[in-house]
Amino acid sequence: GGDDKQPAARPAASIPRFYFGGRPSDPLIAQCKEEEEELEKFFAAHPGGVKREDFGPFCDKVCAFPSFFRDSLFNKAVPEDGIVTKSKAKALWERICKDKDCETRLFKLLCAEGKEYVTRDDWKLHLAGFLNTHPGLEFLRATPEFQERYLECVVERIYYTVNRGDNDCMCLQEMLKSNLVAVLRNLDVEPDINQILDYFSYEHFYVCYCKFWELDTDHDFLLDKDDLVKLGNYALTYRIVDRIFAGAPRPVSSGVRDKIGYLDFIWLLLSEEDKTSDTAIRYWFRAINLDGTGFISPPEVAFFYKEQLHRMDCLAQEVVQFEDIMCQMSDLVKPERQGYISMLDLRRCKQAGIFFNVLFNLTKFIQNDSKDPAQIFHERSTPELTDWDRYAKLEYARLAMEEEEGEMVDETVELGP
């Protein structure tokens, strides 16, 4: 049937062409020559200049940007009386496109005047065109508040993956290493927004938002510790929740004491459901590394595992003693320095998820020992999907089913005798 169709594999990140002060690559020189010819052709047809609504071909054919950046590009050209002249358009092309690869062009387009980094607000400003034109988001246009929540989630996911400095200042180097250009191009031609798994999937946003909403019982758009411990049916320990609220994995952005907000929660949920990504490893490593030495030591493992031992006891689970766990973790991670686990050790071993679950998520710790063969088969047969993609797909199906059942109950009530 149509429902079991696999999501499209992710577009491969285009390999940036580096040149340091030397000459651009031959393909880039050829591309720029073609673009200059397109520019001449375009303005031959518009000798008096171009209005906003006619600026699309310049955006696409001359500058090689996705069509939804049309307005951004038009505004960058500083129009006079709603018109961009040929000289202004050419100056713009020379400033942000000439002899530059696609990633650098995107960076220059998004940067505010005089800045050498891109902020979250820059992304929100420039993605407005995408929000208002993408066919897969037409239904959202009637609800501006949800549009805003969706956009916040998209931008937060971009920063989660790309902004290694975690400082709201995305630099050119980070953009060059990302798959943003490929994803944005794909977005321009794929009408089904849920096929774009990186950053933009509406279903992924819906899962983040509903999970937050389920925990936020008083709907003040903030969560306290008592709200957060309910995540995943009380999956997380109190000790790890304390560390999240203390801002150990990353500073809390809610601005309210002892509360985390929607954006904080997005980071937490992405890190909780896919502990193998670089960002998640960094996030949880900082949470566990109590003394900030850059190594997780036996006393730190013992501190977090103590609560897990207590939980196993309370739930009448078979208790695995600390000494046994230390041996198992050492065999799993194989740290370079015996007994001291670095972030690099966790990245190398490809088993960071198991390590972290042992320390603060009992549900997943137990599940790992009893993995369903069908689940293992599914994971191996879909290597292009991340743990987050798989979780979001299942969770979205569950939420959609609950909503349908809720609607059926409402109808039954209305149709009552």
Side-chain angles (χ1 to χ4, degrees):
D3 289 336
D4 54 11
K5 201 168 67 173
Q6 277 303 327
R10 301 171 182 231
S14 49
I15 307 298
R17 296 175 289 273
F18 288 109
Y19 59 94
F20 298 96
R23 170 178 181 280
S25 67
D26 289 343
L28 190 53
I29 291 169
Q31 181 188 329
C32 289
K33 193 168 181 292
E34 275 175 34
E35 288 171 352
E36 275 195 276
E37 286 165 9
E38 283 291 343
L39 189 147
E40 293 297 331
K41 223 188 302 178
F42 181 62
F43 279 95
H46 301 89
V50 187
K51 288 184 180 160
R52 184 182 297 272
E53 58 268 28
D54 301 324
F55 207 60
F58 180 83
C59 173
D60 171 25
K61 292 197 168 72
V62 180
C63 299
F65 281 119
S67 63
F68 48 78
F69 284 135
R70 182 199 72 180
D71 286 3
S72 295
L73 207 57
F74 188 81
N75 296 338
K76 275 257 187 205
V78 197
E80 279 175 41
D81 303 325
I83 298 277
V84 168
T85 59
K86 179 183 173 180
S87 62
K88 286 206 162 186
K90 185 155 190 175
L92 174 72
W93 177 80
E94 286 177 349
R95 192 165 82 245
I96 66 176
C97 298
K98 191 178 182 183
D99 296 343
K100 293 177 180 70
D101 57 49
C102 301
E103 287 76 10
T104 308
R105 291 178 182 204
L106 177 63
F107 184 75
K108 295 277 182 195
L109 175 71
L110 299 177
C111 276
E113 210 54 53
K115 296 281 191 289
E116 277 304 314
Y117 55 82
V118 179
T119 66
R120 284 167 170 81
D121 285 343
D122 293 330
W123 274 102
K124 285 177 194 164
L125 174 73
H126 294 290
L127 284 175
F130 147 74
L131 270 187
N132 294 323
T133 57
H134 197 281
L137 293 173
E138 204 170 332
F139 68 97
L140 258 189
R141 279 164 220 150
T143 51
E145 191 198 335
F146 272 103
Q147 242 189 352
E148 198 180 321
R149 296 283 170 248
Y150 166 74
L151 187 57
E152 281 177 338
C153 183
V154 166
V155 172
E156 215 49 42
R157 289 186 66 193
I158 288 172
Y159 275 76
Y160 179 90
T161 305
V162 178
N163 182 214
R164 297 272 183 245
D166 190 11
N167 55 6
D168 193 38
C169 299
M170 188 181 293
C171 65
L172 175 59
Q173 214 50 35
E174 288 171 332
M175 204 170 274
L176 286 165
K177 287 177 181 169
S178 78
N179 64 349
L180 283 164
V181 165
V183 172
L184 291 168
R185 281 196 176 143
N186 207 12
L187 201 59
D188 207 22
V189 295
E190 173 54 75
D192 181 358
I193 196 80
N194 295 314
Q195 295 291 333
I196 312 289
L197 298 177
D198 288 303
Y199 324 121
F200 288 93
S201 161
Y202 178 80
E203 289 181 1
H204 289 192
F205 150 71
Y206 187 79
V207 166
C208 285
Y209 188 81
C210 289
K211 279 278 155 202
F212 182 79
W213 191 250
E214 280 171 8
L215 298 173
D216 180 24
T217 43
D218 60 359
H219 301 317
D220 63 350
F221 228 60
L222 293 165
L223 303 179
D224 61 22
K225 289 180 187 178
D226 291 336
D227 295 325
L228 191 61
V229 290
K230 295 173 193 152
L231 180 67
N233 197 14
Y234 295 88
L236 298 176
T237 62
Y238 284 91
R239 288 187 171 181
I240 202 73
V241 167
D242 283 343
R243 292 290 285 163
I244 291 162
F245 277 81
R250 69 185 298 265
V252 175
S253 66
S254 69
V256 183
R257 192 182 163 83
D258 297 329
K259 305 265 183 168
I260 64 169
Y262 170 57
L263 302 183
D264 300 312
F265 181 75
I266 291 170
W267 278 71
L268 165 65
L269 192 65
L270 291 171
S271 301
E272 168 53 28
E273 294 306 334
D274 184 359
K275 295 189 178 83
T276 61
S277 74
D278 274 0
T279 309
I281 291 172
R282 205 162 54 237
Y283 184 94
W284 294 121
F285 186 91
R286 287 174 184 163
I288 301 293
N289 188 206
L290 298 167
D291 59 12
T293 54
F295 289 98
I296 293 172
S297 61
E300 288 164 338
V301 174
F303 174 79
F304 286 97
Y305 192 63
K306 192 175 180 183
E307 193 178 340
Q308 295 281 61
L309 273 172
H310 176 65
R311 287 177 148 207
M312 285 179 222
D313 215 17
C314 294
L315 293 168
Q317 287 283 341
E318 188 189 337
V319 173
V320 185
Q321 293 304 330
F322 173 69
E323 290 71 22
D324 298 332
I325 271 296
M326 269 313 283
C327 289
Q328 285 178 28
M329 293 301 96
S330 193
D331 290 346
L332 182 82
V333 178
K334 299 183 177 59
E336 265 188 35
R337 183 180 162 200
Q338 190 55 41
Y340 291 84
I341 293 168
S342 71
M343 220 184 291
L344 191 61
D345 293 329
L346 287 170
R347 281 206 190 107
R348 273 197 199 123
C349 77
K350 309 284 187 219
Q351 306 284 342
I354 298 172
F355 175 77
F356 290 130
N357 288 332
V358 163
L359 296 187
F360 56 77
N361 187 322
L362 191 60
T363 315
K364 289 185 179 173
F365 174 19
I366 293 163
Q367 275 171 358
N368 188 66
D369 285 341
S370 53
K371 249 191 184 180
D372 172 13
Q375 188 190 346
I376 295 168
F377 175 77
H378 175 67
E379 285 175 14
R380 285 182 184 158
S381 62
T382 53
E384 74 281 2
L385 298 182
T386 65
D387 286 353
W388 164 257
D389 296 331
R390 292 189 181 98
Y391 163 78
K393 194 175 180 182
L394 287 170
E395 200 54 33
Y396 182 79
R398 181 188 72 80
L399 290 163
M401 202 161 75
E402 277 179 13
E403 202 174 295
E404 263 177 42
E405 283 167 7
E407 281 169 12
M408 279 164 73
V409 169
D410 291 346
E411 278 174 26
T412 317
V413 171
E414 281 169 26
L415 296 169

